[in-house]
Each structure stands twice: as C-alpha cells, then as structure tokens.
Amino acid sequence: MDNEKVIVALLIVVVLLSVATVGITLGLDLDKVFSKQQAGNPADYVDVNHANVALVIAKTPQNGGST
Amino acid sequence: MSSNNSALLVFAIVVLVLALGNLVVTIDKVGTLTGRASDTATAALELAPAAQIDFIVDSINWGSGAVDEAPTKANINSEGAVIGGNWTAVSQGLTLQNNGNVDVTLSLTTSNVASAFIGGSAGGGPKYELKVSNSEASSCEVPLNSTNLGTYTEATGTAQATCKKFDKTDASDLLRIDVNLTIPEDADPGAKSSTITATAIVFTP
C-alpha cells in the first residue's frame, strides 16, 4: 500500500515535469509568433519628404514699390 | 483490480502520452536547431515593409521678377510658362521617387495657401496649384479618379490625397509634381516660399 502511494506521488511529479517541459518547448513557438507580429517597425509604414517652391516678387508701381 | 491499481494505470497512460508528445516536440525542435547534415538546405528571412520616398528634384525657383505693366496678373509654372511677367522660366517639375519596398498611398501638403504664399487680389487673386503626373509610365498605378492625374488642383494647406497606389517597381516609380502660380500685380514684393510635404503610407488594397 505504501509503495503504491510512493509510485503515485512519483507519477504526479513526472506528469508535472512533463507538462512544464512541453510548455517551455512550445514557448519557443510562441516567441516566434510574437516576433512575427512585431516584424516591421510601425514607423517604417510612413515616410515623409519635403520640397521647396520659391520666387521673388520685385517692387513695381502696381504693388507699392517704385520703378 | 483495486482502485489504487486503476489509478496507477490511468496515471501511467497519461504519463506515457505526455512523454511521447514531449519526445516528438523536442525532436522537432532539436532537428531545426542542430547542424544536422543534409543534402538540402533552406535559407529564410522576412523582409519588413518599409515606405520610403525621396524628392529627386526638390526645388523650384523662378528667381526674381515682376508682373508686366499692362496685365493685372502673371502666370508662371514649372512647365516653362512665364506669362505676363519676367521671371526666369522653369521647365523642371519636382520629381518624387518611391524608393521603398512597398507600394504606397501618397498625399501632398503645402505649408501655406495662395493668399499667404503670394498675396494680392488683382486679376481674381492669387493661385497656387499642384499637378501630379507620371514621370515614368504607370508610376501611379491607382489614381484617385479618372481626372486626378495631369490636372492642376488648388493647394489647400492640408493633406491632399494624390495617388492611391504609388508603385515601387524600379521602372515605374517616378512621379512629377508641377506647380502653377498666378501672381496678382498688387502682391506684396519680397521673397516668397512654400514647402511641399509628401507623405507616403504603405498601400493597403
């Protein structure tokens, strides 16, 4: 009877260890999934660039200047 | 069979199943992590989408000029026109290139509107217009509508959608942006400038 209790206790430990091992191993996949979700910096989804347009309006009698 | 023996049997089966599952998963992982000899190999990588646009030509400058005495306004643009004034003709529009690895949706924003950029009111007031066209064929794969490309549109100072799908392909990734200005004769003299901001967002169908 006592031996059977010891065996049951050992089996419970083995079960817990196996569950933990499987969980840790599958955790590698979860890391991969997570890293895929993070692939690509959101900042890379938008880009901005600038250009310039310029001129000079010379003074004339029409715009308040002198000839 | 006693109840304890039955419990042992159930536990033993559970342990066996878990152990087998663990074995399969572990072997699978070890197989991918070790340098196991093989006559085939696979190289894999993931290219993250990156929007990148650059102005190849980023400046238009007509220099100094004035509205002629007779008309009430002048019209100049980046397609070589100088009508009713004596500014230096410019025949080169701004050129925007999609240098990223994805198609993008493009919008343009000017830093000011005609009244603030040029000023004056004679001859119907100032105009500040932009026109987008393909510098390389089909660069704008999906325009906003049938008349969007090749038509001057008044700048509003806010983000204006320009092209739904700006192609990334090297042979068709150039857009030309022309600028058309109407300058009233009573516009205040001085240096005038405006910044055009192009914003590209990764295209989503």
Side-chain angles (χ1 to χ4, degrees):
Chain A
M1 188 65 179
D2 286 342
N3 285 340
E4 287 180 352
K5 286 182 179 177
V6 171
I7 291 171
V8 168
L10 285 174
L11 283 173
I12 289 172
V13 171
V14 171
V15 167
L16 291 176
L17 286 174
S18 295
V19 169
T21 305
V22 171
I24 291 168
T25 309
L26 291 177
L28 293 174
D29 278 343
L30 293 179
D31 286 344
K32 286 182 181 177
V33 171
F34 182 72
S35 66
K36 278 183 181 177
Q37 288 175 339
Q38 293 298 311
N41 185 345
D44 292 335
Y45 284 71
V46 178
D47 192 31
V48 175
N49 218 303
H50 306 282
N52 194 57
V53 176
L55 75 158
V56 175
I57 299 177
K59 289 181 178 178
T60 66
Q62 291 92 335
N63 64 21
S66 58
T67 53
Chain B
M1 185 181 285
S2 71
S3 61
N4 282 337
N5 286 338
S6 296
L8 273 174
L9 181 59
V10 170
F11 270 116
I13 292 172
V14 170
V15 169
L16 180 63
V17 170
L18 283 170
L20 285 173
N22 196 11
L23 184 65
V24 170
V25 172
T26 304
I27 286 173
D28 181 58
K29 298 299 174 189
V30 170
T32 60
L33 293 175
T34 63
R36 181 176 56 188
S38 173
D39 60 349
T40 61
T42 301
L45 75 164
E46 183 177 340
L47 270 178
Q52 185 183 340
I53 53 171
D54 294 299
F55 275 107
I56 305 303
V57 177
D58 65 356
S59 177
I60 296 173
N61 193 336
W62 288 274
S64 182
V67 179
D68 292 341
E69 191 171 350
T72 57
K73 62 184 177 183
N75 176 249
I76 60 177
N77 65 36
S78 56
E79 298 178 275
V82 177
I83 302 167
N86 62 350
W87 282 272
T88 302
V90 173
S91 298
Q92 173 65 64
L94 303 170
T95 306
L96 187 65
Q97 184 168 37
N98 182 355
N99 283 328
N101 61 8
V102 287
D103 299 331
V104 296
T105 296
L106 181 69
S107 64
L108 297 176
T109 309
T110 57
S111 61
N112 42 27
V113 297
S115 58
F117 176 22
I118 302 167
S121 59
K127 284 186 178 178
Y128 178 16
E129 300 174 314
L130 304 179
K131 180 178 76 175
V132 176
S133 54
N134 288 321
S135 186
E136 291 177 337
S138 301
S139 292
C140 181
E141 277 189 283
V142 182
L144 295 179
N145 52 55
S146 59
T147 60
N148 156 229
L149 287 181
T151 302
Y152 277 109
T153 303
E154 187 70 26
T156 63
T158 59
Q160 294 174 272
T162 302
C163 177
K164 278 186 182 175
K165 187 180 179 185
F166 183 10
D167 193 12
K168 65 177 172 41
T169 308
D170 190 47
S172 57
D173 63 353
L174 278 183
L175 290 177
R176 173 174 172 142
I177 302 165
D178 283 300
V179 179
N180 184 61
L181 303 178
T182 297
I183 306 161
E185 65 176 0
D186 60 349
D188 287 338
K192 314 283 183 176
S193 70
S194 179
T195 299
I196 298 173
T197 300
T199 303
I201 300 173
V202 171
F203 172 74
T204 51

